[in-house]
Amino acid sequence: DQQVKQNSPSLSVQEGRISILNCDYTNSMFDYFLWYKKYPAEGPTFLISISSIKDKNEDGRFTVFLNKSAKHLSLHIVPSQPGDSAVYFCAASTPPGYALNFGKGTSLLVTP
Amino acid sequence: KAGVTQTPRYLIKTRGQQVTLSCSPISGHRSVSWYQQTPGQGLQFLFEYFSETQRNKGNFPGRFSGRQFSNSRSEMNVSTLELGDSALYLCASSLTAGDPDTQYFGPGTRLTVL
């Protein structure tokens, strides 16, 4: 049973515009959320995280928003650059360990 | 600093065989986690080792097992391979257990079961 869902398998955005990647989860016990980026033939790399006590976290061009009541989080990339083209995975975990539950990923294509 | 290395990078096996995959974490990292990535299920957590002890285990059958050595290197083993085991197996290391922000992934081992 997929507890973390990324319902958009792919997204295409023009360079300079905003990319919004969405993620929904079903387990209300999740309290830590992460986004990873993955290029072909490489492992995922950590991008940004947010704990459930916050509703927003920023790191440069990347911002993650968390709506706990809706069990929804989103990743905003502004402005989008061609180098951002990759597969983005949303993940969630519960304490005390951190067995990450991943979504299936969204493939982002940023076109010049 | 060298990243996480996984060997072999590609592997072809037949049904019923067993396979062992290896992961060498970043120097100084003591936690190693394993994940399976398939097109249908996405990334799924297999297990996590810290200081040679399994801390967490995902929802996989007993055919999937692992271990960690005193130098933090880890191996995972899959016995009696099935076609559905064809996947990219990713290993990730971190300094300590329970610290996903510092988790670094290797490039993965692509296993094909024929």
Side-chain angles (χ1 to χ4, degrees):
Chain A
D1 181 34
Q2 199 81 19
Q3 297 185 73
V4 177
K5 298 177 184 178
Q6 293 176 257
N7 294 319
S8 298
S10 62
L11 176 67
S12 183
V13 171
Q14 275 191 315
E15 182 179 6
R17 307 290 291 265
I18 183 172
S19 294
I20 300 177
L21 296 95
N22 294 304
C23 179
D24 297 295
Y25 60 96
T26 57
N27 188 342
S28 57
M29 299 301 291
F30 287 147
D31 74 343
Y32 202 71
F33 305 88
L34 308 92
W35 285 93
Y36 288 83
K37 180 167 74 171
K38 186 180 185 301
Y39 293 117
E42 295 182 11
T45 54
F46 168 74
L47 199 55
I48 192 169
S49 62
I50 188 168
S51 88
S52 60
I53 62 172
K54 293 185 174 182
D55 55 15
K56 177 182 172 181
N57 189 26
E58 285 181 86
D59 184 2
R61 296 185 297 113
F62 302 91
T63 303
V64 56
F65 295 92
L66 175 63
N67 182 333
K68 283 176 292 185
S69 60
K71 294 192 181 69
H72 177 84
L73 65 157
S74 61
L75 175 69
H76 292 209
I77 306 173
V78 185
S80 301
Q81 300 173 353
D84 296 330
S85 298
V87 177
Y88 289 79
F89 290 95
C90 166
S93 72
T94 58
Y98 74 111
L100 293 175
N101 293 264
F102 283 87
K104 292 187 181 182
T106 296
S107 179
L108 172 66
L109 176 65
V110 180
T111 57
Chain B
K1 185 190 261 192
V4 178
T5 57
Q6 292 188 243
T7 56
R9 291 292 310 277
Y10 301 91
L11 205 48
I12 300 175
K13 292 284 187 179
T14 56
R15 277 182 300 174
Q17 286 188 308
Q18 76 163 23
V19 67
T20 299
L21 313 181
S22 180
C23 171
S24 292
I26 291 172
S27 177
H29 285 196
R30 294 170 61 197
S31 172
V32 173
S33 298
W34 289 89
Y35 297 85
Q36 180 195 64
Q37 185 184 5
T38 59
Q41 298 297 321
L43 264 167
Q44 292 186 286
F45 171 76
L46 279 156
F47 25 65
E48 180 204 355
Y49 287 88
F50 179 74
S51 293
E52 301 177 66
T53 302
Q54 187 180 87
R55 284 189 72 247
N56 268 312
K57 190 176 191 309
N59 189 25
F60 277 82
R63 300 185 297 107
F64 292 81
S65 62
R67 59 178 175 168
Q68 186 180 33
F69 302 95
S70 58
N71 62 358
S72 295
R73 190 177 71 84
S74 177
E75 288 181 348
M76 70 161 278
N77 184 76
V78 188
S79 61
T80 321
L81 283 166
E82 301 177 359
L83 294 178
D85 297 332
S86 293
L88 180 67
Y89 290 88
L90 292 160
C91 160
S93 76
S94 57
L95 277 169
T96 61
D99 192 8
D101 287 22
T102 66
Q103 195 173 61
Y104 292 85
F105 282 82
T109 294
R110 172 74 63 185
L111 172 65
T112 302
V113 182
L114 302 175

